[in-house]
Amino acid sequence: MDLLEGLNKEQAEAVRTTEGPLLIIAGAGSGKTRVLTHRAAYLIAEKGVEPWHILAVTFTNKAAGEMRERISSLVGHGSEAMWVATFHSTCVRILRRYADRIGRPNDFTIYDSDDQKTLMRSLIKQKNLDAKMFKERTFLNEISAAKNELISCAEYAAGTTGDFRRQRTAEMYELYEKTLEKNNAFDFDDLIMKTVELFRTDKEVLACYQDRFRYIMVDEYQDTNTAQFELVRLLSSSHHNLCVVGDDDQSIYRFRGADITNILNFEHHFPGARVVKLEQNYRSTQTILDAANAVIQNNRGRKSKRLWTENGEGERIVFRSFETAVEEADYVISDIERKVDEGKERYNDQAVLYRTNAQSRLFEEKLVRRGVPYKLIGGVNFYARKEIKDVLAYLKTIESGRDDLSLRRIINVPRRGIGLTTLGKLADYAVENDISLFDALLDADRIPGLGRTAEKIRGFTNQILVLRSRSKAVESVAELIRALLEETGYLAELETEDTEEAEERIENIEELINKAAAFDERSGTEAEQPGGRLSAFLEEVALVADIDSLDESEDYVVLMTMHGAKGLEFHSVYLTGMEDGVFPGIMSIMAENPTDELEEERRLCYVGITRAKRHLTLTYARNRMVRGETQAHTVSRFLNEIPPELLTEAVKKKRTEEMREAFPARRAPKRAAPTLPFALQSPAPKNFPGEKAKAGLDYGVGDRVSHGRFGEGTVRSIVEGGRDYEVTVDFDEVGVKKMFAAFARLEKV
């Protein structure tokens, strides 16, 4: 087989370049997966590289599976020895073997985001902090950001001098880490951070994997963070055969810690690197690509490239404007139905994309009322549902019993009469004796004050020990789940409820059993890692991404955010909510450094546009309900960057002209009065139209003023509000804003 056959000139060059660092700039739809798979096959078939010397890293399990299958079809037997996996899966395999080298047991548990939130809530309560003031998500975001930058809790604490908020976070970071270690658990960020720690501290282990992985390929390199960059750098620093594939124009995960400079500065980080650009697009029409090129060229922080295609010019992009978001949703769903009724497309050929999850509601309501099948990608993950979390908590407790979080979840599920008071005594005993909570349960007869509850505890621990013994004897995880459901009475309790909700939960559990059965069939007779089959199953479940739930064979309309759509493609795409303040979001417009934020938003727009293969529709609503108030918006600046000749309906007005004309329309919908702090509320506010405001203000109604973040605007009203004046300003760029004069610091222009 000629592995270069069917490749264009640049693709073939990337495949043949096997030695030394290589950066492949792969524009949207340019066939990067084809290049990666052919390059791996070329290394094996033409260069004689042993498959086990190749590591290919992706960002999703779905992408890893597809790559593995394609390579296997190209080279056949032996390709299964390659490591094709996500960053997290790769690190788990390494830590399962060598975590003990950094002082942690190899049979650790992996905490997902729900586990993390549950743990952090308990720690906030343990520290007697006000849960309304100190949110678990805020602490977890800070800790995650630190771990992505490879900053330990000690290093984080050292940089908090004089900052109370960061000092409090440092305390919680330290407590969080100690609790994770006590529970023998890693969170997702730990998987990479701890692997980097292992490589930095144990040169023998690092040398082992450097020799193992002589050729490394990394997909979606623009989405890597500091920890991932360092992991790749360490692994490739011996043989230097590092190939990364990515597109800086599709770097949209800055909020998750992705660092676009990793790809922009690749040649600096890896001297002597060769760069190959893939600019021929195989997905979209030239009209769609021209729109994408026109938008993204407004970014300064990018590598120059321009997508082109041989697919033909295609039809113009549909642009539709509406008075309200309700009208927008009605049009989109009607248009989807029309295409299906006319036999032009199936439901699963079409996707509705939006900037934020909250925008899905109107589309869902319309779809439900019209009986159109749809799937919301990015909703509640299957593995986050209560009954699934319960069963998995049982499995984790059966596996080792060291995970206190899982044990707390199921000790009284189904109800056994083991209450919070008893659990508190058990927890105190565990702390006093420096043992796990499960070990404390085993010592229940020795703990004073438990009384008859000790017998109930003994019944629970006996169940777990019997199931643990059974887990080592049986070869089927599915069989073990059925056994625990029967032994614990969990399934019987749901069946007794005899409600639709209970029936749905039973169906979800049955689906988990199906998942386990498929795992059993796929994994053969032996599990590769320490801990055996059950440990391998729990690891696989923990690493599942929500995007992996998209089944392209089923016929339903897909609803998802533009972030979630990355890596996917559809015949027809509807980009909705194309308004300033929605997309780009108001936080990006108002940011202290709006250039970086707006460039990220523009990259997201580029990603959204390039998901479309044949038909692209852009919609905009002049009025949209946001946080309970109807707000008027101007058309997105990104729409103005698309040449008018590419659109069916031109965006006729310049943004500044439209804003001046839109003011009456913005005042038409009555907004609810803002809720003020009690001290600032006044029972009888007085309006001062046409007057100079008191309290030393040098501007009045009708004057032009300037704001440090919102720019210039016109004062529309000044209202006395107790201790301060409420000033309403119609800003040129962001529309109408109400603010208190003392905080606004407006300056007359």
Side-chain angles (χ1 to χ4, degrees), residues 6-44:
L7 302 180
N8 64 37
K9 177 184 175 183
E10 290 75 21
Q11 290 175 331
E13 180 185 356
V15 168
R16 286 195 302 265
T17 306
T18 59
E19 309 304 307
L22 170 66
L23 169 61
I24 303 174
I25 298 293
S30 61
K32 68 181 179 67
T33 303
R34 181 178 176 83
V35 170
L36 279 175
T37 53
H38 279 249
R39 190 174 186 277
Y42 187 85
L43 283 168
I44 297 169

Side-chain angles (χ1 to χ4, degrees), residues 543-612:
L543 296 174
V544 167
D546 187 51
I547 191 64
D548 296 332
S549 67
L550 178 61
D551 186 348
E552 296 173 356
S553 66
E554 294 187 30
D555 193 21
Y556 47 64
V557 177
V558 173
L559 302 182
M560 64 196 315
T561 64
M562 289 179 222
H563 280 102
K566 186 170 175 294
L568 302 176
E569 58 182 40
F570 303 90
H571 278 91
S572 289
V573 168
Y574 297 84
L575 289 193
T576 63
M578 297 294 291
E579 303 124 39
D580 262 19
V582 177
F583 187 44
I586 192 66
M587 297 303 291
S588 299
I589 296 171
M590 293 165 48
E592 290 184 14
N593 186 1
T595 299
D596 289 346
E597 298 293 338
L598 287 172
E599 291 208 351
E600 176 104 350
E601 292 280 286
R602 188 174 283 109
R603 290 192 292 269
L604 185 58
C605 184
Y606 173 85
V607 167
I609 292 172
T610 54
R611 297 313 92 194

Side-chain angles (χ1 to χ4, degrees), residues 38-87:
H38 279 249
R39 190 174 186 277
Y42 187 85
L43 283 168
I44 297 169
E46 300 295 330
K47 304 295 289 186
V49 177
E50 298 292 355
W52 53 85
H53 284 319
I54 302 173
L55 168 66
V57 183
T58 68
F59 267 79
T60 68
N61 295 306
K62 183 178 180 181
E66 289 177 354
M67 187 181 296
R68 196 179 295 110
E69 289 177 8
R70 291 195 194 185
I71 295 171
S72 180
S73 67
L74 290 173
V75 300
H77 182 70
S79 62
E80 66 275 4
M82 276 185 60
W83 272 29
V84 184
T86 64
F87 271 105

Side-chain angles (χ1 to χ4, degrees), residues 638-705:
F638 302 148
L639 267 170
N640 280 280
E641 293 169 355
I642 298 175
E645 62 269 19
L646 301 180
L647 303 171
T648 57
E649 177 186 330
V651 185
K652 297 176 183 177
K653 303 181 181 72
K654 294 181 180 179
R655 295 186 66 255
T656 53
E657 293 172 354
E658 185 181 63
M659 286 173 190
R660 292 192 192 103
E661 294 181 18
F663 180 70
R666 280 201 296 269
R667 295 195 57 174
K670 291 187 177 181
R671 303 185 188 182
T675 301
L676 307 177
F678 180 80
L680 296 177
Q681 294 184 20
S682 173
K686 300 175 183 177
N687 204 356
F688 293 89
E691 293 183 16
K692 296 293 181 184
K694 298 179 181 180
L697 300 183
D698 63 351
Y699 53 81
V701 174
D703 287 342
R704 295 282 293 173
V705 293

Side-chain angles (χ1 to χ4, degrees), residues 123-164:
L123 297 180
I124 290 172
K125 186 176 181 180
Q126 178 181 324
K127 294 287 287 184
N128 293 318
L129 299 179
D130 184 347
K132 294 181 180 179
M133 182 179 298
F134 297 97
K135 303 289 187 182
E136 72 270 7
R137 178 45 53 196
T138 303
F139 285 133
L140 289 172
N141 285 343
E142 286 282 332
I143 292 169
S144 178
K147 290 185 177 183
N148 286 338
E149 293 295 323
L150 298 175
I151 299 172
S152 67
C153 52
E155 291 169 328
Y156 185 93
T160 62
T161 305
D163 189 326
F164 172 77

Side-chain angles (χ1 to χ4, degrees), residues 402-451:
R402 295 183 193 169
D403 184 358
D404 289 359
L405 198 65
S406 294
L407 180 57
R408 285 175 178 272
R409 182 181 185 94
I410 49 91
I411 192 171
N412 205 37
V413 179
R415 293 181 181 176
R416 301 183 172 88
I418 304 174
L420 292 176
T421 301
T422 299
L423 193 57
K425 292 177 181 178
L426 291 163
D428 290 342
Y429 181 84
V431 171
E432 290 169 4
N433 292 275
D434 195 24
I435 59 177
S436 71
L437 186 58
F438 188 78
D439 286 339
L441 264 64
L442 294 174
D443 281 352
D445 290 332
R446 303 179 186 177
I447 302 175
L450 293 185

